Amino acid sequence: RTLSGYKPNNVVKDSYKILELEEGCSLDDVRSSYRNLAKKYHPDSRSGMADSKAFIKVEEAYRVVLSDVTAKQKSDPSEEEEDQFKSKSLQHRHYLSFEGMGIGTPSQRQKQYMQFRVDRATEQVLEYRQQKLESLFASTDLSRAKGMKITQAVERLVEDLIQESMAKGDFDNLSGKGKPLRKFSNSPHIDPMTHNLNRILIDNGYQPEWILLQKEIRQTIERLRKSIVASRRKLGEPMTPLEQKQWGRICEQFAEDIRKLNKRVDNFNLVVPILSRQMVHFSTDKEILRARKTYEALLKKVSDSDTKENEGEEAKRFGWKSSLLKWLKL
């Protein structure tokens, strides 16, 4: 009896009572009851009724009731016939619609079939786009191959010219010829090869494009600032209506020059290798305000120098008179 798992009726009834169930319940009822009691009596649960002995009893009762319910379901012939009928109906319905897709009830199978159709349509669209792109770029492969051959030919020609110039001695007058290259900083963010090449070019009169652009932008903005201040000084203070119109035309031309300069700034930001070296656009309003402040400072400086000169002349006059009076007294 122990080997066959036989349990007397009293043990089975007590197990049902422990799980708070009645005979004839389903497997789902047994599992839900066991789950609730385990949450209540398990030692690791933080409930106030946690008890290891009670949990052991619940677990033993669960095993007994579970084996009893499964044995009754196997021995019930009506349920077996019903299960066979269900399986046959599912297999028969499997091939009636939805291209044989999905499992479950008709509504569930319909949802699965709709998702299948969406996925299949997506795959077809992707395949169509791929074929279209392949046909589009198939004609450009020949031109690309020709371009690559031309590029390689030019590179070989340049290399041959460099070797020929070295053989003639055209590079013998370079500074530092025959000396080892100096090592640079051990920063991991700097490519040593690129750094060495840039230094050699700079030492021999060559500069990268972004350095030349940066220098050109700075020289241009300084020239524009000086020109607008000089134009403002020519108009004088205060300005007549005609001079105000002339000043307005000067500001419009200055704004156009700033717009062109900002295009150079955009080109500089595209070629500069370091993000921290990128430049921002110049503002026309800020530059005009800066020119006005510079002009006012110049006016103030000129007026201060004029007052100092006048004071010096007056001091000289009074000094001559006082010396004359002292001589007359003597």
Side-chain angles (χ1 to χ4, degrees):
R1 287 180 178 179
T2 54
L3 291 174
S4 61
Y6 171 77
K7 300 291 181 183
N9 291 331
N10 294 331
V11 176
V12 175
K13 290 180 180 179
D14 294 339
S15 300
Y16 274 104
K17 289 181 181 179
I18 293 172
L19 293 179
E20 300 176 358
L21 296 172
E22 295 181 357
E23 295 184 6
C25 60
S26 63
L27 288 173
D28 294 335
D29 296 335
V30 176
R31 292 191 184 98
S32 63
S33 178
Y34 171 70
R35 195 178 296 111
N36 295 330
L37 293 174
K39 291 179 182 178
K40 188 186 296 185
Y41 295 115
H42 197 278
D44 294 336
S45 65
R46 297 180 180 179
S47 64
M49 301 178 65
D51 189 2
S52 58
K53 295 181 179 179
F55 175 71
I56 292 171
K57 292 181 180 180
V58 170
E59 190 174 4
E60 291 176 352
Y62 169 69
R63 293 177 182 174
V64 173
V65 173
L66 188 63
S67 61
D68 183 62
V69 172
T70 52
K72 286 181 179 179
Q73 287 184 355
K74 289 181 180 179
S75 63
D76 192 355
S78 61
E79 292 184 359
E80 291 181 358
E81 292 177 358
E82 187 177 357
D83 293 337
Q84 291 177 2
F85 178 73
K86 287 182 180 179
S87 62
K88 285 181 180 179
S89 63
L90 286 172
Q91 290 175 1
H92 177 67
R93 192 171 60 224
H94 185 73
Y95 297 99
L96 290 179
S97 60
F98 305 127
E99 299 182 10
M101 291 299 302
I103 57 173
T105 61
S107 60
Q108 293 174 351
R109 294 179 65 245
Q110 184 180 7
K111 291 179 181 179
Q112 296 172 13
Y113 178 64
M114 293 298 293
Q115 184 63 36
F116 167 73
R117 289 186 63 186
V118 170
D119 296 339
R120 185 171 61 183
T122 305
E123 291 176 358
Q124 290 176 355
V125 170
L126 291 175
E127 289 178 0
Y128 171 74
R129 289 182 178 177
Q130 184 178 359
Q131 293 175 0
K132 190 173 181 181
L133 290 174
E134 288 177 356
S135 63
L136 179 63
F137 290 104
S139 59
T140 59
D141 289 340
L142 295 175
S143 60
R144 285 185 179 180
K146 290 181 181 178
M148 291 294 292
K149 288 181 181 178
I150 292 171
T151 304
Q152 293 174 0
V154 171
E155 289 178 354
R156 287 197 298 270
L157 177 61
V158 171
E159 184 66 25
D160 294 340
L161 292 174
I162 292 173
Q163 294 294 335
E164 185 179 355
S165 299
M166 290 176 66
K168 290 180 180 179
D170 294 338
F171 296 154
D172 292 341
N173 57 351
L174 296 179
S175 61
K177 181 178 181 297
K179 297 180 181 179
L181 293 174
R182 291 178 296 173
K183 293 184 179 180
F184 292 89
S185 60
N186 296 323
S187 176
H189 306 290
I190 299 175
D191 183 17
M193 180 62 69
T194 305
H195 207 157
N196 285 333
L197 291 175
N198 289 335
R199 185 183 61 79
I200 292 170
L201 291 172
I202 292 170
D203 292 343
N204 292 280
Y206 298 94
Q207 291 182 355
E209 182 182 3
W210 65 274
I211 293 179
L212 296 175
L213 280 173
Q214 187 180 26
K215 185 177 180 181
E216 183 182 357
I217 289 169
R218 289 177 178 174
Q219 290 177 353
T220 305
I221 191 63
E222 290 297 329
R223 178 174 55 80
L224 291 175
R225 287 170 179 171
K226 290 180 181 179
S227 65
I228 194 170
V229 172
S231 301
R232 182 66 184 88
R233 291 184 67 181
K234 288 180 181 179
L235 296 176
E237 186 70 26
M239 290 188 294
T240 62
L242 183 62
E243 291 175 344
Q244 288 180 356
K245 291 181 180 180
Q246 189 177 357
W247 173 248
R249 289 194 294 270
I250 292 171
C251 291
E252 290 177 0
Q253 183 61 37
F254 182 76
E256 181 65 22
D257 295 337
I258 290 293
R259 186 181 64 81
K260 294 179 181 179
L261 184 62
N262 287 332
K263 287 186 178 180
R264 295 184 188 177
V265 171
D266 293 335
N267 296 331
F268 170 77
N269 291 335
L270 289 175
V271 298
V272 65
I274 305 172
L275 291 176
S276 61
R277 293 292 184 90
Q278 288 190 346
M279 302 176 69
V280 297
H281 283 185
F282 295 98
S283 175
T284 305
D285 298 334
K286 290 182 179 179
E287 293 297 333
I288 292 174
L289 181 62
R290 179 175 181 174
R292 288 178 180 174
K293 290 182 179 179
T294 306
Y295 173 69
E296 291 173 359
L298 289 173
L299 285 180
K300 187 176 180 182
K301 186 176 181 180
V302 170
S303 62
D304 292 342
S305 62
D306 292 341
T307 53
K308 286 181 180 179
E309 289 179 359
N310 294 330
E311 289 176 356
E313 290 178 357
E314 291 179 357
K316 288 180 181 178
R317 291 175 185 175
F318 286 116
W320 177 76
K321 290 180 180 180
S322 61
S323 62
L324 181 60
L325 291 173
K326 287 181 181 178
W327 182 75
L328 291 172
K329 288 181 181 179
L330 292 173

